[in-house]
Amino acid sequence: LFDRPAVDAEVWDELEELLVSADVGISTTEKLIEKVKKQVVVEKIDQGSHVRAALRAAMVDILIVPIREIMEDLSPPKVILVVGVNGGGKTTSIVKLAHSLKNEGKSVLLVAADTFRAAAIDQLKRLGERAGIEIIAHQSGADPGAVVYDALQAAKSRQVEAVIIDTAGRIHTRSNLMEELEKVKRVAGKADVTAPHEVILVLDATTGQNGLVQARYFTEAIGITGIFLAKLDGTAKGGIVLAICDELKIPIQFIGVGEKLEDMESFNAEAFVAALCD
Amino acid sequence: VLSDKLNQVFHLLGNKGRLTEKDIDEALRQVRLALLEADVNFKVVKDFVTRVRDRALGANVRQSLAPAQQIVKIVNEELVVVLGGEPGRLTAASQPPSVVMLTGLQGSGKTTTAAKLARHLKQTGQRPLLVAADNRRPAAIEQLVTLGKQLDVPVYRESPDMPGRDVCARARVKAKEMAATWVIVDTAGRLHIDEAMMDELVQMKKELKPDEMLLVVDAMTGQDAVRMAGEFHSRVSLTGLILTKMDGDARGGAALSIRWVSGVPIKFIGTGEKADAFEPFYPDRLASRILG
Ligand SMILES: Nc1nc2c(ncn2[C@@H]2O[C@H](COP(=O)(O)OP(=O)(O)OP(=O)(O)O)[C@@H](O)[C@H]2O)c(=O)[nH]1
Ligand SMILES: Nc1nc2c(ncn2[C@@H]2O[C@H](COP(=O)(O)OP(=O)(O)OP(=O)(O)O)[C@@H](O)[C@H]2O)c(=O)[nH]1
Ligand SMILES: [Mg+2]
Ligand SMILES: [Mg+2]
């Protein structure tokens, strides 16, 4: 692939297969191919390897989304709300994020606002214990808003620097569940009018075209400021993020590359694209 | 919707009495797009559309008065033929207890599905025993114990220091002790490329000799479904698939891909988080969902 000297029709077929097989989606794939085809004409590209380089550049272009201005002189805590569909990796990713903030010398508090799923609070407590991070929780079945409110009051009084809220997994088409999330967001705003400062969508890298639909719904409901792409240590390429960045301009902030505390990296567009095209 | 797109194609092609092969190919492009958008595997789409093309030409769709409808009908029929399997039927052992083992990627819905299977079997008069063989994920055992309590189904568990394989070794004895007719084993989520974990799975299977080895797959899985399922199938010979989170709006094309390439039948679907959100699989329903 791409090592042939001429740029013929087969090159574009191979490109299409590569991108679609990586879950980029047919629509974003066609857009990328059109862009590179134009470049080939304009720049008189005649080497397969140069076509490959042009494609990678076009993909990086889509993925580099400016991170919105983070107001720096706000009083603590910085409040991060973490959301996503069931089983995507929210709880695990939250503890990874907390661990990394702790390593930067920040004080962190986690909020067990998934009061619904069996043993969800237990899971977060055990992960928190392992990582030496404090969890604020109520009993199972409690109102998630109440837990969030309590936690933010505690964080304010203790001058904790970061609060990360774990929420229950939810199918984005269930409006009552999306309303519950909007309520959690409002409660955070009641404790601190500028909160939440970040809303992170955790996306499973094995997700196909539905990932774009998920991002649309969550953005519509509460606004998403960044994406945590989990489970990239598998064989799925996570190409759906290209469609998400292209349409919604949401930055990918982190990737999850395993189940351990340290298995998290800051998103690097070039590295991601290189791995996808490999 | 596919039929609308096809109608548009034939409308643009005009009423010239008899369509050419090229016209049919233009229509098939829309079929291909619909399947790719539904997460059907790239290579599977290619082979599937070829199959549809052969039938469309053979059925003389070119002379049809309603070519769009005919093509949709052919696509639907071919999808149902491929998807058809053994909906909702579990293979029982000749002597109880029968054993079902669940496996799959992290977060696909195994633990929740184990509880659903237990409830389903209880409803049909069986005596299920749940086995908590995931000693890796924090509170995985507690999760299954909680679900078992909610259903009044016994859960066999050990401390998390005991490896999954040893739990499996004792599971049959436990089942006999409790006169359980079905044993449902929940295992840790794992990657098909994790040698150690796939080895553990093979060992657990050797220990238990399950009557059913079911792969739990998230309905929103994309193109990687074929490789992933192929890997699991080659290591532990799957007897069936359970497609979860079908209450979402993912089209579920991954299921078609897995079925096409591995031949493993889809047995059940999960349609929610509660234990009763569980149905036998119906090929015609998934077919129309994939078509969008
Ligand atoms: N291999 C791998 N597994 C991961 C990664 N992130 C999470 N997991 C695993 O995925 C499974 C689900 O993770 P959770 O953190 O429970 O996911 P969740 O989104 O909180 O799930 P719900 O709360 O039930 O919606 C667990 O087995 C995790 O260990 C990752 O980056 N790589
Ligand atoms: N909406 C919906 N959620 C589901 C369904 N099946 C499972 N879930 C949810 O998906 C999430 C993951 O389910 P688990 O049963 O923990 O998944 P798992 O495969 O055991 O996860 P690991 O043990 O970490 O690999 C939980 O939030 C479940 O409630 C389903 O059919 N529909
Ligand atoms: Mg969780
Ligand atoms: Mg589990």
Side-chain angles (χ1 to χ4, degrees), chain B residues 82-131:
Chain B
V82 176
L83 292 171
E86 292 129 43
R89 217 176 321 127
L90 291 172
T91 306
S94 48
Q95 299 263 27
S98 306
V99 181
V100 187
M101 198 160 169
L102 299 182
T103 188
L105 294 179
Q106 290 90 344
S108 58
K110 297 173 293 299
T111 306
T112 310
T113 301
K116 291 176 179 183
L117 265 169
R119 180 185 177 281
H120 168 79
L121 285 163
K122 194 170 177 187
Q123 293 232 303
T124 64
Q126 299 295 331
R127 294 169 50 88
L129 170 67
L130 284 163
V131 176

Side-chain angles (χ1 to χ4, degrees), chain A residues 86 171, chain B residues 106-112 137 143 189 245 247 270 272-273:
Chain A
N86 307 75
I171 293 291
Chain B
Q106 290 90 344
S108 58
K110 297 173 293 299
T111 306
T112 310
R137 169 171 153 159
Q143 184 183 3
K245 308 175 201 173
D247 44 316
E273 293 193 74

Side-chain angles (χ1 to χ4, degrees), chain A residues 85-92 94 114 117 120-121 123-124 166-169, chain B residues 137:
Chain A
V85 302
N86 307 75
K90 297 176 291 302
T91 305
T92 309
I94 282 168
D114 175 0
R117 204 208 68 212
I121 296 170
Q123 179 189 12
L124 185 63
D166 187 15
T167 61
Chain B
R137 169 171 153 159

Side-chain angles (χ1 to χ4, degrees), chain B residues 15-191:
Chain B
N15 295 324
K16 35 194 170 133
R18 186 188 163 98
L19 300 158
T20 63
E21 254 187 51
K22 199 158 166 293
D23 296 335
I24 297 295
D25 282 335
E26 186 55 32
L28 292 177
R29 246 180 38 81
Q30 291 302 324
V31 174
R32 178 174 183 264
L33 284 176
L35 295 174
L36 288 176
E37 282 166 359
D39 290 325
V40 180
N41 181 273
F42 188 90
K43 292 204 175 82
V44 171
V45 171
K46 212 173 195 189
D47 295 342
F48 183 83
V49 171
T50 300
R51 190 150 137 174
V52 169
R53 183 178 194 277
D54 292 344
R55 268 202 62 185
L57 295 177
N60 253 325
V61 171
R62 288 184 283 161
Q63 295 161 316
S64 166
L65 293 173
Q69 272 161 285
Q70 248 204 295
I71 290 181
V72 171
K73 181 165 175 293
I74 290 172
V75 174
N76 218 311
E77 284 175 3
E78 287 305 315
L79 284 176
V80 171
V81 163
V82 176
L83 292 171
E86 292 129 43
R89 217 176 321 127
L90 291 172
T91 306
S94 48
Q95 299 263 27
S98 306
V99 181
V100 187
M101 198 160 169
L102 299 182
T103 188
L105 294 179
Q106 290 90 344
S108 58
K110 297 173 293 299
T111 306
T112 310
T113 301
K116 291 176 179 183
L117 265 169
R119 180 185 177 281
H120 168 79
L121 285 163
K122 194 170 177 187
Q123 293 232 303
T124 64
Q126 299 295 331
R127 294 169 50 88
L129 170 67
L130 284 163
V131 176
D134 175 1
N135 74 328
R136 275 179 105 232
R137 169 171 153 159
I141 295 171
E142 284 66 24
Q143 184 183 3
L144 193 64
V145 167
T146 300
L147 294 173
K149 279 208 184 86
Q150 290 171 358
L151 297 170
D152 190 26
V153 168
V155 179
Y156 167 53
R157 49 80 54 90
E158 295 281 353
S159 93
D161 314 312
M162 183 175 291
R165 173 160 193 207
D166 300 330
V167 176
C168 286
R170 294 146 199 260
R172 272 188 187 275
V173 173
K174 273 294 164 198
K176 294 244 163 65
E177 270 176 33
M178 313 183 75
T181 59
W182 278 86
V183 178
I184 303 154
V185 185
D186 181 27
T187 66
R190 68 200 66 220
L191 293 179

Side-chain angles (χ1 to χ4, degrees), chain B residues 135-275:
Chain B
N135 74 328
R136 275 179 105 232
R137 169 171 153 159
I141 295 171
E142 284 66 24
Q143 184 183 3
L144 193 64
V145 167
T146 300
L147 294 173
K149 279 208 184 86
Q150 290 171 358
L151 297 170
D152 190 26
V153 168
V155 179
Y156 167 53
R157 49 80 54 90
E158 295 281 353
S159 93
D161 314 312
M162 183 175 291
R165 173 160 193 207
D166 300 330
V167 176
C168 286
R170 294 146 199 260
R172 272 188 187 275
V173 173
K174 273 294 164 198
K176 294 244 163 65
E177 270 176 33
M178 313 183 75
T181 59
W182 278 86
V183 178
I184 303 154
V185 185
D186 181 27
T187 66
R190 68 200 66 220
L191 293 179
H192 47 293
I193 52 171
D194 185 332
E195 263 317 303
M197 289 303 285
M198 292 308 282
D199 256 354
E200 182 204 54
L201 189 64
V202 171
Q203 295 312 316
M204 285 167 91
K205 182 182 181 189
K206 271 213 184 96
E207 206 61 62
L208 262 180
K209 302 193 178 43
D211 302 284
E212 289 275 5
M213 188 82 200
L214 304 179
L215 183 71
V216 177
V217 181
D218 196 321
M220 56 176 127
T221 308
Q223 297 284 315
D224 201 52
V226 166
R227 175 171 175 180
M228 179 268 296
E231 206 46 49
F232 273 94
H233 191 41
S234 77
R235 298 300 297 272
V236 293
S237 278
L238 303 168
T239 59
L241 231 63
I242 299 184
L243 202 57
T244 62
K245 308 175 201 173
M246 286 284 278
D247 44 316
D249 57 355
R251 302 263 287 274
L256 175 72
S257 310
I258 295 173
R259 171 78 175 151
W260 180 282
V261 175
S262 70
V264 179
I266 303 153
K267 300 216 168 185
F268 297 99
I269 63 170
T271 57
E273 293 193 74
K274 302 219 174 78

